[in-house]
């Protein structure tokens, strides 16, 4: 027993862990003050936290079905008590009961509870920014919801919401335009993610799968959020057979864009509405509907830009004065109607029809006069006087009138049957796709009075593209998989095998994708899990991969769709394991995964900001190998923190690429030449290392004050001179470094007198959240703008991302 003497009345906080004799957290254990209604249940880690008024003494009771009950007596000599108890297993004879245990990861699919990270600093506002909590994920643009997984690009990631594949606009080329992602964080119940080696039920992508499940409200719930970067409102209700959720979001990143080097008038406006409805038709039939409409509008009127770059000895400064504007508009709509049938307890079937449509317009006419000069290192010089020799002067103009419309309509059936230790899953779908694309863009450059590329007979454009394409097609997909579980002498085995098929009418290709995974939870005293996965994964082309650019004799570029293109193919090997343990009385999990991905029929690409430009041919082979480490646990009781470290090597070899290397004498005459084949080069998204962490803390005497810190330090992306085979990936951007921090204060109904007013009776909690993005004001590079100086040398001028920015956010939960 725990005894302390006291003689006063105090409000005290009691928190700690409830564990079993194997040192594992006991979930759903009851912890309450005897003789009162004050109490709680433990979470998945066995953690509890209660507050109560104590006059002379109080008895804390710890109980759980199947375990002996333990009691502690408290006396109010201090305001905070940390008490962890061990519940012995009950020895009395009992009837059968269900034991709920902590989830063990028996496949490559890992899960996260997004509600635990709702206060994490988030510049983009989307759920995707939380994906860095998973191993193998990297992000290097805070303005975008895009993410890269183990050397792949964003197009290699597939996203599901309630089992339905969702899409994003296709014309987006910069994070400033991107706006809101499809996923509404207020409506999310769970987040599942796999960085490779995933099951056959998931689609044909080479890198990862993000599986989002929306919640079904059980009672009335509502949330409103207001901040300097936007606002949102969410409401959910349940009434017998009918449940509904509605969410509306508004986002403007105008304040963030104001920290960029390019100054001007930014007018971003992003709006999104989403609904999820369910209706129980009968005991066996349920109908659901998921709908979404979004409009992303981006208007920009640039005025000037000033960027300093280079080293201390060779410092440079690029100044550009702009004229013109950009107006972009992306509208998307989506609807999915499904009927779920459960004829018996072990059988589920679903029939679904969905449609997606996007209408995208990108228009800009922007001209700029630029001056490239040296920067003198004389500290006595003022800002206006420290400009040295002029290295380049010129003018350019960019023009675009791009229109794209795309529609995708899908009908599908899926099912699940549990039978004698087997879990059978299957599905089949037919999908009609129609895409109409009209491109018209060009760029003119003038350097020192000469148009580039220089011609003594004509004025040529630096870049010119004009095309109009139309692509109707039909895609058929099917899968079957079986998961078998057995508790053997060596441990608890889980084996999953499956087969996936895909046929596309455009290139008339049939894809067969076998996949296999297994896991073992050995019957050891220490808590370990081991898993292995392998399979063939195809990247079925959608549209951007098909576009092959053709240049005529006059330098005009057009687009033709390559009907001979094949799906990219990758063979995955993933070997990993988890170790669950307790340190300092708190639960932790150490995960390690090693992987190898061998790819052929690769369609090479380059990355500019967030736009991915494909070659339009199966012109490369590639490999990616690496290892991911993750330590996850409660560094502070009741809060989740983690540290990730990823090491990777990702290379590609373009087929039949070469350049001629010349040798010169002292007079500049060519003396010899040889053909050079570059061989293996870094892939565009190779980040050799990524270190990230997230830490949560609170004041021990008042847990209503919380702090969240997120840190990313990752290797810079490879890049090279445009249009150069010899120098396509020989340089590397500086490391991406970023620290975001947030401080929060919670006001709770019943404990904060400020909320006891009659007009606030429906308010459950209020969160006051102050965030500082890019706390250390690192100048991260997103891409490069190439400028030619008077010596005909190409200089890469960095396009920097956002600087330090303050944000205030108010979150109100209603009851």
């Amino acid at each position: 027993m725990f005894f302390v003497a006291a003689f006063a009345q105090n409000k005290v906080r009691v928190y700690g862990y409830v564990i079993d004799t194997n040192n594992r957290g006991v979930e759903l254990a009851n912890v309450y003050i005897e003789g009162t209604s004050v109490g709680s249940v433990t979470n998945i880690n066995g953690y509890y936290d209660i507050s109560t008024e104590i006059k002379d003494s109080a008895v804390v009771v710890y109980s759980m079905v199947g375990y002996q009950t333990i009691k502690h007596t408290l006396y109010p000599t201090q305001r905070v008590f940390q008490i962890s108890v061990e519940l012995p297993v009950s020895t009395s004879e009992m009837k059968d009961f269900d034991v709920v245990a902590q989830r063990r990861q028996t496949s490559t699919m890992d899960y996260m509870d997004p509600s635990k990270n709702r206060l994490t600093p988030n510049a983009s506002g989307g759920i995707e920014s939380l994906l860095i909590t998973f191993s193998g994920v990297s992000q290097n643009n805070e303005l975008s919801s895009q993410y890269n997984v183990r050397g792949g690009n964003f197009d290699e990631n597939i996203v599901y919401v309630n089992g339905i594949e969702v899409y994003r606009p296709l014309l987006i080329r910069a994070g400033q335009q991107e706006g809101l992602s499809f996923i509404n964080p207020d409506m999310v119940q769970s987040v599942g993610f796999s960085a490779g080696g995933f099951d056959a039920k998931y689609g044909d992508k080479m890198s990862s799968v993000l599986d989002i499940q929306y919640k079904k409200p059980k009672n009335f719930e509502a949330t409103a959020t207001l901040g300097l970067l936007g606002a949102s409102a969410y409401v959910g209700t349940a009434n017998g057979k009918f449940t509904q959720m509605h969410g509306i979001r508004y986002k403007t990143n105008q304040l963030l864009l104001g920290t960029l080097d390019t100054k001007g008038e930014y007018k971003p406006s992003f709006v999104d509405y989403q609904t999820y409805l369910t209706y129980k038709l009968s005991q066996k039939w349920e109908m659901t509907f998921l709908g979404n409409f979004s409009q992303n509008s981006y208007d920009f009127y640039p005025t000037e830009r000033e960027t300093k770059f280079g080293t201390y000895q060779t410092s440079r400064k690029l100044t550009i004065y702009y004229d013109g504007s950009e107006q972009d508009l992306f509208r998307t709509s989506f609807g999915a109607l499904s009927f779920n049938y459960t004829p018996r307890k072990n059988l589920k079937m679903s029939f679904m029809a969905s449609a997606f449509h996007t209408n995208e317009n990108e228009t800009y006419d922007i001209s700029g006069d630029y001056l490239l000069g040296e920067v003198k290192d004389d500290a006595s010089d003022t800002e206006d006087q420290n400009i040295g020799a002029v290295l380049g002067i010129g003018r350019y103009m960019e023009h675009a009138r791009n229109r794209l419309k795309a529609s995708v309509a899908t009908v599908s059936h899926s099912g699940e049957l549990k039978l004698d230790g087997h879990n059978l899953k299957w599905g089949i779908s037919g999908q009609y796709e129609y895409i109409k694309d009209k491109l018209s863009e060009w760029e003119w450059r003038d350097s020192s009075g000469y148009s580039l590329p220089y011609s003594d007979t004509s004025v040529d454009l630096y870049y010119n593209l004009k095309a109009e394409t139309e692509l109707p097609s039909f895609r058929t997909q099917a899968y079957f998989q079986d998961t078998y579980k057995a508790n053997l002498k060596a441990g608890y085995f889980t084996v999953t095998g499956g087969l996936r098929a895909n046929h596309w009418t455009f290139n008339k290709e049939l894809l067969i994708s076998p996949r296999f995974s297994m896991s073992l939870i050995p019957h050891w005293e220490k808590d370990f899990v081991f898993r292995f996965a392998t399979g063939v994964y195809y990247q079925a082309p959608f549209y951007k991969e098909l576009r092959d650019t053709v240049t005529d004799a006059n330098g005009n570029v057009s687009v033709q769709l390559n009907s001979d293109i094949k799906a990219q193919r990758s063979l995955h090997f993933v070997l990993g394991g988890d170790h669950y343990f307790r340190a300092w009385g708190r639960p932790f999990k150490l995960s390690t995964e090693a992987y190898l991905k061998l790819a052929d029929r690769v369609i090479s690409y380059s990355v500019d900001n967030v736009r991915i430009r494909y070659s339009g041919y199966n012109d490369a082979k590639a490999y990616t190998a690496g290892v991911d480490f993750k330590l996850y646990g409660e560094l502070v009781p009741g809060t989740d923190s983690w540290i990730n470290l990823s090491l990777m090597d990702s290379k590609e070899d373009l087929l039949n690429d070469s350049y001629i290397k010349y040798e010169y004498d002292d007079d500049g005459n060519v003396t010899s030449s040889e053909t050079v084949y570059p061989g293996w080069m870094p892939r565009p998204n190779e980040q050799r290392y990524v270190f990230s962490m997230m830490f949560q803390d609170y004041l021990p005497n008042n847990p209503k004050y919380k702090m969240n810190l997120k840190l990313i330090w990752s290797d810079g992306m490879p890049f090279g001179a445009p249009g150069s085979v010899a120098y396509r990936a020989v340089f590397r951007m500086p490391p991406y470094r970023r620290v975001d921090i947030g401080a929060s204060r919670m006001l709770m109904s019943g404990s904060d007198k400020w909320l006891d007013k009659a007009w606030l009776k429906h308010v459950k909690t209020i969160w006051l959240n102050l965030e500082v993005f890019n706390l250390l004001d690192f100048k991260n590079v997103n891409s490069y703008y190439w400028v030619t100086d008077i010596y005909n040398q190409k200089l890469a001028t960095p396009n920097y991302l956002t600087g330090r920015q303050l944000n205030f956010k108010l979150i109100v939960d209603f009851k």
Side-chain angles (χ1 to χ4, degrees):
M1 288 291 189
F2 183 88
F3 294 99
V4 184
F7 304 97
Q9 176 175 339
N10 284 309
K11 183 170 184 179
V12 301
R13 173 183 173 229
V14 186
Y15 71 96
Y17 295 91
V18 179
I19 61 176
D20 60 17
T21 54
N22 293 319
N23 209 24
R24 298 177 180 176
V26 178
E27 185 182 7
L28 300 180
N30 295 302
V31 182
Y32 61 93
I33 305 298
E34 192 174 49
T36 72
S37 59
V38 178
S40 178
V41 294
T42 56
N43 67 10
I44 194 171
N45 295 317
Y47 179 78
Y48 72 93
D49 194 331
I50 57 177
S51 297
T52 185
E53 295 278 353
I54 297 180
K55 294 182 180 180
D56 298 323
S57 65
V59 177
V60 185
V61 181
Y62 303 86
S63 65
M64 177 67 181
V65 176
Y67 296 89
Q68 297 180 24
T69 297
I70 288 181
K71 298 181 180 181
H72 276 286
T73 301
L74 297 180
Y75 297 93
T77 56
Q78 59 193 65
R79 295 181 59 188
V80 180
F81 293 90
Q82 181 177 356
I83 303 175
S84 295
V85 300
E86 180 182 293
L87 295 184
V89 176
S90 176
T91 58
S92 59
E93 185 177 346
M94 302 184 62
K95 296 181 180 180
D96 292 340
F97 61 91
D98 294 327
V99 176
V100 181
Q102 183 177 355
R103 178 194 295 269
R104 294 296 184 260
Q105 186 181 340
T106 57
S107 69
T108 61
M109 183 68 69
D110 197 5
Y111 292 88
M112 175 189 69
D113 182 0
S115 64
K116 295 183 178 180
N117 296 279
R118 65 184 306 203
L119 299 177
T120 301
N122 188 346
S124 68
I127 200 93
E128 292 84 356
S129 67
L130 301 179
L131 295 183
I132 58 170
T133 61
F134 295 107
S135 300
V137 181
S138 63
Q139 293 176 310
N140 55 7
N141 188 341
E142 63 273 7
L143 293 172
S144 171
S145 61
Q146 294 193 19
Y147 53 93
N148 304 319
V149 180
R150 292 177 175 172
N153 65 45
F154 180 73
D155 291 341
E156 296 175 16
N157 307 317
I158 193 167
V159 180
Y160 290 95
V161 174
N162 288 2
I164 306 165
E165 183 179 358
V166 298
Y167 302 89
R168 64 189 299 273
L170 299 174
L171 282 182
I172 287 178
R173 56 185 174 82
Q176 295 93 309
Q177 304 169 306
E178 191 166 306
L180 294 160
S181 71
F182 182 93
I183 304 164
N184 187 328
D186 291 330
M187 303 172 70
V188 174
Q189 175 70 37
S190 67
V191 177
F193 182 81
S194 173
F198 39 90
D199 292 343
K201 69 176 183 178
Y202 298 113
D204 296 291
K205 298 287 186 178
M206 291 199 303
S207 285
S208 76
V209 56
L210 174 62
D211 190 3
I212 301 292
Q213 290 295 322
Y214 277 1
K215 54 190 174 183
K216 285 184 181 180
K218 298 179 180 179
N219 300 291
F220 174 82
E221 56 184 51
T223 300
T225 303
L226 178 64
L228 299 180
L229 299 180
S232 67
Y234 155 78
V235 62
T237 66
N239 184 12
K241 298 180 178 180
F242 180 65
T243 70
Q244 60 179 327
M245 290 195 303
H246 304 274
I248 185 168
R249 295 178 291 167
Y250 169 75
K251 175 185 174 183
T252 174
N253 52 11
Q254 189 172 8
L255 288 178
L256 280 175
L257 298 179
T259 65
L260 298 174
D261 283 349
T262 302
K263 305 303 179 183
E265 186 178 3
Y266 291 91
K267 292 183 177 180
S269 178
F270 313 119
V271 181
D272 164 272
Y273 167 74
Q274 199 158 149
T275 183
Y276 180 55
L277 313 174
T278 71
Y279 184 73
K280 194 78 172 178
L281 298 171
S282 67
Q283 286 294 101
K284 297 182 178 181
W285 284 95
E286 180 188 49
M287 180 177 65
T288 70
F289 175 77
L290 176 64
N292 170 268
F293 174 79
S294 68
Q295 176 174 291
N296 296 339
S297 174
Y298 176 75
D299 294 346
F300 178 40
Y301 303 86
T303 56
E304 62 179 334
R305 166 182 173 171
E306 184 177 289
T307 302
K308 293 181 180 180
F309 62 100
T311 64
Y312 181 79
Q313 291 80 11
T314 59
S315 183
R316 302 287 185 262
K317 180 179 179 180
L318 175 68
T319 304
I320 304 177
Y321 298 97
Y322 294 102
D323 188 23
S325 64
E326 175 178 357
Q327 288 90 34
D328 304 326
L329 183 63
F330 306 93
R331 286 197 182 103
T332 63
S333 55
F334 174 84
L337 179 67
S338 65
F339 292 88
N340 303 319
Y341 179 49
T342 309
R344 54 183 188 268
K345 188 176 181 179
N346 65 335
L347 176 62
K348 299 178 182 178
M349 291 187 287
S350 177
F351 306 88
M352 187 266 292
S354 65
F356 166 81
H357 179 74
T358 180
N359 187 359
E360 306 174 22
N361 295 273
E362 181 186 45
T363 64
Y364 55 83
D365 288 285
I366 297 177
S367 63
D369 295 284
Y370 71 84
L371 173 67
L372 177 66
E374 293 181 340
V375 178
K376 296 187 293 184
D377 58 2
D378 188 353
S380 64
D381 287 341
T382 65
E383 182 71 18
D384 296 332
Q385 295 174 333
N386 66 353
I387 302 299
V390 174
L391 299 178
I393 187 171
R395 180 178 176 84
Y396 73 91
M397 184 169 185
E398 296 176 338
H399 164 92
R401 296 292 185 272
N402 298 329
R403 309 281 190 271
L404 184 142
K405 292 184 179 180
S407 298
V408 179
T410 306
V411 292
S412 66
H413 161 67
S414 61
E416 179 179 2
L417 175 63
K418 296 181 179 180
L419 190 65
D420 296 331
H422 293 267
N423 188 1
L424 307 175
K425 295 182 179 180
W426 66 89
I428 186 170
S429 66
Q431 181 170 294
Y432 175 75
E433 304 166 359
Y434 177 78
I435 300 172
K436 185 175 183 180
D437 191 12
K438 187 175 182 180
L439 302 174
S440 177
E441 55 184 54
W442 51 263
E443 180 179 359
W444 170 77
R445 288 193 186 185
D446 175 278
S447 179
S448 302
Y450 293 94
S451 178
L452 299 178
Y454 174 72
S455 172
D456 56 1
T457 59
S458 62
V459 177
D460 295 331
L461 293 172
Y462 185 80
Y463 167 73
N464 178 29
L465 171 65
K466 196 172 185 66
E468 187 169 353
T469 56
E470 197 170 349
L471 176 62
S473 63
F474 192 82
R475 197 185 305 264
T476 307
Q477 303 178 71
Y479 70 87
F480 177 83
Q481 71 176 48
D482 180 18
T483 299
Y484 179 71
K485 298 181 179 180
N487 194 0
L488 305 179
K489 184 177 181 180
Y492 188 78
F493 280 90
T494 302
V495 180
T496 300
L499 198 66
R500 186 173 185 89
N502 184 314
H503 180 265
W504 194 28
T505 58
F506 178 75
N507 61 358
K508 300 178 177 57
E509 184 180 24
L510 175 64
L511 309 176
I512 303 296
S513 174
R515 304 176 188 181
F516 172 82
S517 66
M518 65 176 296
S519 69
L520 169 64
I521 305 177
H523 295 317
W524 296 348
E525 182 179 348
K526 300 293 185 179
D527 198 345
F528 283 90
V529 178
F530 302 99
R531 57 184 173 272
F532 170 76
T534 186
V536 178
Y537 295 83
Y538 288 94
Q539 179 78 19
F542 184 65
Y543 174 66
K544 292 190 296 182
E545 299 94 325
L546 309 175
R547 297 193 300 190
D548 174 28
T549 55
V550 179
T551 306
D552 62 19
N554 297 320
N556 298 311
V557 181
S558 60
V559 171
Q560 66 180 19
L561 302 182
N562 181 10
S563 60
D564 295 326
I565 202 164
K566 301 298 181 184
Q568 302 177 82
R569 181 170 55 192
S570 178
L571 177 61
H572 288 197
F573 298 95
V574 181
L575 178 64
D578 304 320
H579 175 38
Y580 297 83
F581 62 97
R582 300 186 79 87
W584 309 291
R586 302 162 194 167
F588 288 88
K589 170 185 168 184
L590 176 63
S591 299
T592 303
E593 276 195 356
Y595 59 90
L596 173 64
K597 299 194 294 185
L598 305 174
D600 65 350
R601 309 201 303 191
V602 173
I603 305 171
S604 64
Y605 63 90
S606 60
V607 179
D608 181 16
N609 202 306
V610 300
R611 178 163 59 177
I612 303 171
R613 293 182 178 272
Y614 291 93
S615 65
Y617 290 94
N618 301 104
D619 57 356
K621 57 183 179 180
Y623 73 86
T624 302
V627 60
D628 298 324
F629 304 95
K630 177 180 177 180
L631 178 63
Y632 177 90
E634 297 188 2
L635 294 176
V636 177
T639 65
D640 293 334
S641 301
W642 48 261
I643 298 175
N644 278 344
L645 175 63
S646 297
L647 305 174
M648 176 179 62
D649 178 48
S650 183
K651 298 293 190 292
E652 68 179 5
D653 183 11
L654 296 183
L655 305 178
N656 304 317
D657 63 324
S658 64
Y659 64 93
I660 299 178
K661 181 180 179 181
Y662 296 96
E663 297 288 342
Y664 300 89
D665 59 20
D666 295 338
D667 297 326
N669 300 315
V670 177
T671 58
S672 64
S673 64
E674 64 173 324
T675 301
V676 178
Y677 298 92
W680 294 99
M681 300 286 287
R683 299 206 73 190
N685 286 298
E686 182 197 47
Q687 290 182 286
R688 295 166 298 185
Y689 63 87
V690 176
F691 175 82
S692 60
M693 68 171 289
M694 197 272 287
F695 175 70
Q696 300 185 56
D697 198 1
Y698 55 81
L699 295 180
N701 292 331
N702 194 342
K704 295 179 181 179
Y705 290 91
K706 295 183 181 292
M707 185 275 292
N708 290 264
L709 183 142
K710 183 172 67 174
L711 179 147
I712 304 175
W713 189 306
S714 59
D715 191 21
M717 297 288 195
F719 75 100
S724 171
V725 175
Y727 301 103
R728 75 172 188 268
V730 296
F731 308 114
R732 194 170 287 270
M733 297 180 186
Y736 180 84
R737 301 164 296 171
R738 186 175 179 88
V739 178
D740 297 334
I741 191 170
S744 307
R745 167 65 160 97
M746 181 180 67
L747 303 174
M748 180 180 293
S749 175
S751 61
D752 289 281
K753 295 181 179 180
W754 191 81
L755 292 183
D756 291 340
K757 298 178 176 18
W759 60 280
L760 292 174
K761 63 181 180 179
H762 294 296
V763 173
K764 181 180 180 182
T765 59
I766 296 178
W767 284 99
L768 306 175
N769 195 20
L770 181 66
E771 300 172 326
V772 183
F773 300 130
N774 197 0
L775 176 67
L776 303 180
D777 202 23
F778 289 121
K779 294 183 72 66
N780 293 307
V781 177
N782 182 39
S783 59
Y784 288 90
Y785 180 78
W786 290 83
V787 179
T788 305
D789 65 13
I790 58 177
Y791 306 108
N792 203 31
Q793 295 178 332
K794 291 184 177 181
L795 300 180
T797 305
N799 296 316
Y800 291 114
L801 286 164
T802 59
R804 184 189 297 117
Q805 181 61 48
L806 196 69
N807 181 45
F808 176 77
K809 188 163 58 175
L810 176 69
I811 304 174
V812 182
D813 296 323
F814 297 92
K815 58 184 178 180

